[in-house]
Amino acid sequence: MTKYIGILTAGGDSPGLNAALRGIGKAATGYFGMQVIGFKDGFRGLMENRIIRLEPSTLSGILTIGGTVLGTSRDKPHRMPIGGKMLDMTEVIVDNYNRHNLDVLVCMGGGGTHKNAYHLMQKGLNIITLPKTIDNDVAKTDVTFGFDTALGIATEAIDRLHSTAHSHHRIIVVEIMGHNAGWLALGAGVSGGADVILIPEIPYDIENVAEAIRWRSRAGKNFSIVAVAEGAMSKQEAKAIRTAEETKTKAKDKAAQKKAKAKLKELESRHSGNTLRLANQLEQLTGLEARVTILGHLQRGGTPSAADRLLATRLGTACADFVNQGLYGVMVAARGEGVEPVPVEEVVGQRKLVPPDHPWVKSARLIGANLGD
Ligand code: F6P
């Protein structure tokens, strides 16, 4: 019996998505004789039944292309903005899955996509997920595809910022993506030789950071590179957010919950602009001129690195193999040089953050990088 696979890519795009699509598609159609369709723009395309047939002609020539040929979106099946309203479109999605006689829906994404995929699993759909995100924060996999490419881009940026910081005797604060995880900033900070590395998992003390920079000046190095994760925060800010989160968890009624939620939202929105504030504070505390570089979406763009193409192809082909075995309800996790099926429910709601005693943190400290604590 021919098996039918549906695939979608959801959440922020990530280098390696096309390599993964090609890996699944080629193995499924060419090796296992299955049929594969792709849904455009994540769960939105599945709901609107917008499809592309993934066959040799559509899979050819996409290995080196960044982004996703399917398109993506952050839409959720149970909360989709339609005509100015948020509607639960789960039933329509289940109908479309059945209409195509799918044996399985493959969802490639990060934390949010795993939640959405699990939601559909609970409605009876067969699901397999692939862990992709430049943030590398998906639980239960060694690594996610997209991370290596973004790491390379951020490292190259730090390399390039060195010469201009040095020439102008400036502090350059470079903001690196990663959402609430510090993998990218830490990895790029170590690889690029940043003098200060600030990550969300290790809240910083601004005076400590300033003193590290002043110390460099006294030692004759009157420039500094500060690699700051977009989610990094000061000790005070971290404390305020922790308190608000605790209040939200303990809230006894709906009104108290709403108030705590609003407080959290306010703190989160106050966080945006943190990098600019940090640079201003450092300028005042050190007397050195500071400039800010926000790498932003540059880190997600362009051709995937060899390591990401290899990882995405490994996970994609393993996915086709899982379908062949009828192994559903799992994420195809990268484990050492191989892969491992991990139940989706073990991934949902978990986020892989940098443990404060992680070997990369230790290395950063041993080479003299200041981590702000
Ligand atoms: O999850 C990937 C990521 O690039 C994060 O690092 C970042 O916080 C977020 O997506 C940005 O999302 P958007 O592209 O929707 O602005």
Side-chain angles (χ1 to χ4, degrees):
M1 278 270 279
T2 305
K3 286 197 168 173
Y4 292 85
I5 306 180
I7 310 184
L8 58 82
T9 55
D13 68 334
S14 187
L17 276 168
N18 291 325
L21 286 170
R22 173 179 173 272
I24 301 177
K26 286 205 166 202
T29 58
Y31 192 87
F32 294 114
M34 301 169 185
Q35 298 273 333
V36 186
I37 55 173
F39 293 99
K40 294 187 187 175
D41 304 330
F43 295 99
R44 166 75 62 168
L46 174 56
M47 188 276 288
E48 291 174 353
N49 198 28
R50 288 188 282 122
I51 64 162
I52 304 183
R53 250 168 229 294
L54 294 179
E55 45 204 10
S57 61
T58 36
L59 295 169
S60 173
I62 64 171
L63 176 64
T64 58
I65 301 174
T68 158
V69 292
L70 288 182
T72 185
S73 72
R74 293 199 184 274
D75 285 322
K76 305 177 177 78
H78 57 290
R79 271 178 63 79
M80 218 172 263
I82 294 172
K85 288 191 186 137
M86 281 294 182
L87 301 182
D88 184 348
M89 302 308 285
T90 308
E91 272 182 29
V92 180
I93 283 180
V94 172
D95 283 350
N96 280 340
Y97 174 95
N98 291 328
R99 177 197 302 202
H100 290 287
N101 275 323
L102 295 180
D103 289 285
V104 61
L105 176 71
V106 176
C107 304
M108 303 195 198
T113 303
H114 277 82
K115 274 190 197 153
N116 294 326
Y118 186 55
H119 170 73
L120 296 180
M121 236 172 90
Q122 290 173 313
K123 301 290 170 193
L125 271 57
N126 288 332
I127 297 284
I128 298 183
T129 64
L130 258 65
K132 75 93 192 77
T133 162
I134 65 164
D135 304 341
N136 196 30
D137 61 350
V138 176
K140 306 281 170 98
T141 179
D142 288 356
V143 66
T144 57
F145 58 85
F147 175 64
D148 182 75
T149 308
L151 179 64
I153 295 169
T155 301
E156 191 192 334
I158 295 178
D159 290 349
R160 288 177 184 274
L161 291 171
H162 263 94
S163 59
T164 175
H166 178 262
S167 305
H168 284 267
H169 319 300
R170 280 174 174 160
I171 301 169
I172 294 205
V173 181
V174 49
E175 184 186 288
I176 297 172
M177 272 188 172
H179 198 217
N180 292 325
W183 295 107
L184 260 184
L186 178 61
V190 170
S191 315
D195 307 294
V196 177
I197 305 173
L198 304 177
I199 61 173
E201 296 85 346
I202 305 179
Y204 61 84
D205 173 349
I206 189 71
E207 181 47 45
N208 181 311
V209 177
E211 179 49 25
I213 293 173
R214 288 193 295 255
W215 183 86
R216 280 176 54 79
S217 294
R218 290 197 294 273
K221 295 180 180 175
N222 51 5
F223 78 94
S224 288
I225 303 286
V226 178
V228 55
E230 62 181 346
M233 53 183 89
S234 67
K235 289 187 173 171
Q236 293 88 325
E237 200 185 344
K239 193 172 165 208
I241 288 188
R242 224 176 20 248
T243 311
E245 275 167 355
E246 279 166 16
T247 317
K248 192 179 133 206
T249 324
K250 284 185 200 149
K252 291 211 171 73
D253 50 53
K254 273 208 165 144
Q257 232 170 30
K258 203 171 162 194
K259 200 171 152 204
K261 237 179 168 174
K263 176 73 187 167
L264 251 181
K265 223 173 175 179
E266 182 211 319
L267 288 170
E268 278 160 12
S269 82
R270 212 187 291 164
H271 181 77
S272 66
N274 186 53
T275 304
L276 287 174
R277 271 197 302 277
L278 176 72
N280 284 337
Q281 284 172 313
L282 290 178
E283 208 166 57
Q284 280 163 21
L285 291 168
T286 63
L288 288 171
E289 209 176 21
R291 290 286 188 273
V292 170
T293 300
I294 296 181
L295 297 182
H297 294 82
L298 259 185
Q299 294 157 105
R300 297 213 310 239
T303 192
S305 67
D308 272 336
R309 291 181 211 177
L310 180 60
L311 173 63
T313 305
R314 279 173 47 209
L315 301 186
T317 49
C319 174
D321 195 19
F322 285 6
V323 177
N324 185 47
Q325 295 173 47
L327 185 51
Y328 302 135
V330 294
M331 172 179 81
V332 189
R335 189 75 64 235
E337 286 174 10
V339 299
E340 195 177 275
V342 174
V344 174
E345 58 262 42
E346 288 183 19
V347 181
V348 176
Q350 309 291 326
R351 181 171 282 158
K352 187 180 76 178
L353 298 175
V354 179
D357 59 350
H358 191 271
W360 295 5
V361 173
K362 197 169 172 202
S363 291
R365 293 194 196 280
L366 289 174
I367 53 172
N370 176 281
L371 297 187
D373 57 342

